[in-house]
Amino acid sequence: LGGTVGDIESAPFIEAMRQFQFRVGHDNFCLIHVSLVPVVGAVGEQKTKPTQASVRDLRGLGLSPDILACRSATPFEEGIREKLSMFCQVQPEQVFSVHDCESLYHVPILLRKQGIIDVLTRRLKLNKLSISGELQGEGDALWAQWREFARRRARDLEVTTIAVVGKYTYLTDSYISVVKALEHASLNVNRKIQISWVEASDLEESSAQKDPLKYHEAWQRLCAADGILVPGGFGERGVEGKVLAAKWAREHNVPYLGICLGLQVAVIEFARHVAGMPNAHSAEFREDCDTPVVVFMPEIDRTTMGGTMRLGSRPTKFQDSSFAQGSKIRKLYGSVDEVHERHRHRYEVNPERVDELEAKGMQFVGRDADTGERMEILELESHPYFVAVQYHPEYLTRPLSPSPPFLGLLLAASGQLDSYLSGAGIAADVDTKLKM
């Protein structure tokens, strides 16, 4: 439980946890309270008053912290742990310094060194659980993987540049899930990710007239990237710039990943320049378009917008064609027949145009498992890696289990995709090679 205790925004969560502790019982509930220990004054003294006040208010709301996780720029000064213990009524060994370290992924290592495993074992009586040797071995292996993952984050790995073409690039936190997915994938392929933010509207011809400098800088960043990613989004602004980014990736064999709208602009671009549909567009942006390759989902009422999106985890089934069965994206998913990913959209590829697009080389290798009429995954023939998905794979990424579409993008952008798919694995970094 973190944040400022007493804010109205956190009140429902605090009350829910207060009730939850009685529902599950004392031995099944351990409250870790995250609080700030600021450094103030000319001498840089750490202050404990904010944490004391926060714990006091928390107790008044019916919750008593078992562990204090204190954020600070530096490790505890002498006496700070004992002071917090005394005035917050928490044992000294249950007060942890979560100071700045090399990366976010080093925090579990930091906590383990301070003894959090022993504290949790006593508090939750974990030593009474019967754990087989096989499960213990899995835990040790997982911890070894995490330590290696954190070590890579701190190393100077070879850099792979991915251009993210969006319309909210002035506020990069808008794409925080995409950023984390790219970071997870890059560290799993022994690369350091460098994101080159490209404002989609700056790629358009109109920008060349309004602001030539931004126009040329945007194209320079796009052309210099090892891979291109077009994430999801809403609204017409920047759509033509995203279409141009997909066109560049297709024509110059640059690895490409499109997500949600990124799939739709890839379809629009391919329809215009390959499939002989020069007026192709999306009904979201051109309702009177004579060649709509992206349409509103037929079962949804256009006049009622609330709660009408296709949301949540939905199954996507890989098709039976020889190309789909041997596609790169299916292999990245482990050659399974079906995947479950989270959706968030109202528009989809027009099923009436699918045959024309597939005849020209755009293969829809994954479709919805219910009707087979929703195009969920596309992959281009004769391209190093041109994949787009209608769902949002970034929502299910994990540090040690990166999202397959993102993993494929980083593998292709770093020149490792073919060896990975052939079973040769990922090239080890320098330290690992020396140890071997």
Side-chain angles (χ1 to χ4, degrees), residues 372-425:
E373 295 184 357
R374 299 185 195 275
M375 306 302 118
E376 299 282 3
I377 308 173
L378 70 79
E379 184 174 322
L380 282 188
E381 298 176 354
S382 305
H383 193 284
Y385 188 80
F386 194 105
V387 170
V389 295
Q390 184 61 69
Y391 47 78
H392 289 265
E394 69 271 23
Y395 293 158
L396 297 183
T397 184
R398 299 291 182 271
L400 300 181
S401 180
S403 170
F406 284 88
L407 182 65
L409 176 66
L410 266 296
L411 285 168
S414 60
Q416 302 181 78
L417 181 60
D418 291 339
S419 62
Y420 178 84
L421 295 180
S422 66

Side-chain angles (χ1 to χ4, degrees), residues 10 12 57 66 109 120 154 158 193 274 295 308 381 392 409:
S10 63
D57 291 346
D66 299 293
I109 300 173
L120 291 173
E158 185 178 336
I193 185 69
V274 179
V295 296
T308 60
E381 298 176 354
H392 289 265
L409 176 66

Side-chain angles (χ1 to χ4, degrees), residues 238-252:
V239 167
E240 292 301 326
K242 295 177 181 180
V243 169
L244 290 170
K247 184 174 185 288
W248 174 267
R250 179 183 59 80
E251 292 182 341
H252 294 84

Side-chain angles (χ1 to χ4, degrees), residues 204-222:
E204 298 172 2
E205 289 298 327
S206 58
S207 179
Q209 305 300 323
K210 296 178 182 177
D211 196 331
L213 181 60
K214 280 188 176 181
Y215 174 79
H216 290 293
E217 286 180 345
W219 273 104
Q220 183 180 27
R221 289 194 296 272
L222 185 75

Side-chain angles (χ1 to χ4, degrees), residues 102-339:
E102 292 175 287
S103 76
L104 179 67
Y105 306 112
H106 284 78
V107 173
I109 300 173
L110 178 69
L111 292 174
R112 182 170 183 173
K113 286 180 178 178
Q114 296 181 58
I116 196 168
I117 299 297
D118 296 333
V119 172
L120 291 173
T121 299
R122 291 195 303 271
R123 175 64 183 81
L124 298 173
K125 296 181 171 54
L126 300 179
N127 54 351
K128 293 185 178 181
L129 298 177
S130 177
I131 301 176
S132 67
E134 182 180 348
L135 288 176
Q136 289 179 342
E138 289 181 6
D140 292 339
L142 181 63
W143 181 246
Q145 290 177 37
W146 186 271
R147 288 174 63 89
E148 170 63 17
F149 185 83
R151 186 188 70 86
R152 291 178 186 174
R153 179 63 176 80
R155 278 185 50 78
D156 291 329
L157 299 173
E158 185 178 336
V159 175
T160 297
T161 304
I162 301 296
V164 177
V165 184
K167 61 181 290 189
Y168 313 111
T169 55
Y170 57 89
L171 184 61
T172 56
D173 272 3
S174 301
Y175 301 104
I176 190 64
S177 297
V178 170
V179 171
K180 289 301 177 184
L182 287 170
E183 187 173 279
H184 296 167
S186 65
L187 292 176
N188 277 274
V189 302
N190 289 318
R191 292 294 186 271
K192 181 179 180 180
I193 185 69
Q194 178 178 312
I195 298 177
S196 183
W197 297 99
V198 179
E199 183 68 27
S201 57
D202 290 344
L203 297 171
E204 298 172 2
E205 289 298 327
S206 58
S207 179
Q209 305 300 323
K210 296 178 182 177
D211 196 331
L213 181 60
K214 280 188 176 181
Y215 174 79
H216 290 293
E217 286 180 345
W219 273 104
Q220 183 180 27
R221 289 194 296 272
L222 185 75
C223 298
D226 301 309
I228 296 172
L229 189 152
V230 178
F234 295 91
E236 185 177 1
R237 181 173 65 84
V239 167
E240 292 301 326
K242 295 177 181 180
V243 169
L244 290 170
K247 184 174 185 288
W248 174 267
R250 179 183 59 80
E251 292 182 341
H252 294 84
N253 287 331
V254 178
Y256 174 89
L257 174 61
I259 299 172
C260 198
L261 181 59
L263 174 140
Q264 296 172 8
V265 296
V267 171
I268 293 170
E269 187 282 320
F270 189 86
R272 288 179 182 176
H273 304 110
V274 179
M277 308 176 197
N279 297 321
H281 218 301
S282 168
E284 179 180 2
F285 313 120
R286 297 286 189 277
E287 290 189 11
D288 57 349
C289 173
D290 59 359
T291 315
V293 292
V294 177
V295 296
F296 203 77
M297 289 190 294
E299 74 276 17
I300 291 179
D301 181 5
R302 286 176 176 269
T303 60
T304 306
M305 299 301 290
T308 60
M309 301 183 80
R310 181 172 168 81
L311 290 171
S313 180
R314 306 295 181 105
T316 295
K317 183 177 177 58
F318 284 100
Q319 298 304 288
D320 296 329
S321 67
S322 57
F323 179 83
Q325 291 296 303
S327 64
K328 295 181 178 73
I329 186 62
R330 182 172 181 267
K331 291 178 180 178
L332 288 165
Y333 271 108
S335 296
V336 297
D337 294 326
E338 187 175 284
V339 296

Side-chain angles (χ1 to χ4, degrees), residues 17-69:
M17 294 183 76
R18 186 193 70 80
Q19 296 182 28
F20 183 70
Q21 66 181 330
F22 300 113
R23 183 177 302 175
V24 298
H26 180 73
D27 293 342
N28 296 314
F29 183 88
C30 177
L31 177 61
I32 302 176
H33 182 48
V34 183
S35 183
L36 178 67
V37 177
V39 178
V40 297
V43 296
E45 181 184 0
Q46 290 180 330
K47 294 295 185 180
T48 64
K49 285 296 183 183
T51 299
Q52 293 180 43
S54 181
V55 171
R56 182 185 65 241
D57 291 346
L58 193 62
R59 290 182 182 278
L61 294 169
L63 287 170
S64 296
D66 299 293
I67 294 173
L68 289 181

